[in-house]
Amino acid sequence: MSPLSISDEFAQYYGDLYNLRNDATITTPTDTEIETYLNKLNLPTLTTQQKETLTRPVTPEEPGKPPTYPQNFRPISLLNTDTKILAKLYAIRLGPILPHIIHDDQVGFVTGRQGADNTRKVLDLMQSLGVTREGGVLLSLDAEKAFDRLGWGFL
């Protein structure tokens, strides 16, 4: 099998995978099927303390910097200000919780994690395979269209 045919096979597979909504033979799962599936998984859950942190009432001292200091003044649009404040509040509250519920391999937008961490893992794996003379395949997938396949019922 040539490298070109392998490349073509991957392109075909992932092209089909990311365009399932164009396939009339694939049905959307029902809410019951989704609930059953999710109940079978061992997904991380929030602790009682984390739930209380996320649902506690909003206080004037949130979301962070004292608004009376000139260095904290920011020109903002007054449209949808309540949405911006709520989004900031949730971001602050979720920040400490996310690293505990998102897998260590997911490094994007999680405080304390960097893409270089996964680069290091890849380099270590390559070195290990070179030392042990074991065969291996390293496959890097572009997830640009990953959200095109998002099942909105899961949200």
Side-chain angles (χ1 to χ4, degrees):
M1 187 173 257
S2 73
L4 184 56
S5 64
I6 293 172
S7 174
D8 290 343
E9 189 66 32
F10 272 109
Q12 179 66 42
Y13 174 79
Y14 286 102
D16 293 342
L17 178 68
Y18 287 134
N19 292 307
L20 287 179
R21 69 172 158 225
N22 298 334
D23 188 345
T25 63
I26 297 177
T27 59
T28 303
T30 65
D31 290 344
T32 306
E33 291 171 327
I34 292 170
E35 190 68 31
T36 302
Y37 173 76
L38 290 175
N39 287 335
K40 289 180 184 178
L41 296 177
N42 185 18
L43 296 173
T45 58
L46 299 176
T47 65
T48 303
Q49 181 181 2
Q50 290 170 333
K51 289 177 186 175
E52 289 171 359
T53 297
L54 291 174
T55 59
R56 73 175 184 258
V58 176
T59 60
E61 31 313 324
E62 292 183 276
K65 299 177 181 177
T68 55
Y69 296 150
Q71 66 266 30
N72 296 334
F73 293 169
R74 299 284 187 269
I76 61 170
S77 167
L78 295 179
L79 298 174
N80 301 318
T81 301
D82 54 345
T83 305
K84 291 178 185 179
I85 291 171
L86 190 60
K88 180 67 173 179
L89 177 68
Y90 281 146
I92 289 171
R93 288 182 180 185
L94 278 171
I97 296 171
L98 288 180
H100 301 289
I101 60 175
I102 296 177
H103 193 275
D104 291 340
D105 289 341
Q106 300 292 324
V107 296
F109 309 106
V110 178
T111 303
R113 299 183 191 174
Q114 300 175 357
D117 298 340
N118 281 348
T119 303
R120 183 75 253 164
K121 287 178 187 177
V122 168
L123 293 173
D124 290 345
L125 177 62
M126 290 170 57
Q127 181 182 13
S128 174
L129 291 174
V131 168
T132 62
R133 297 287 187 213
E134 292 182 39
V137 174
L138 180 62
L139 178 63
S140 177
L141 303 176
D142 180 11
E144 178 180 345
K145 288 187 159 187
F147 293 105
D148 288 350
R149 289 206 0 91
L150 187 64
W152 292 104
F154 282 100
L155 298 177

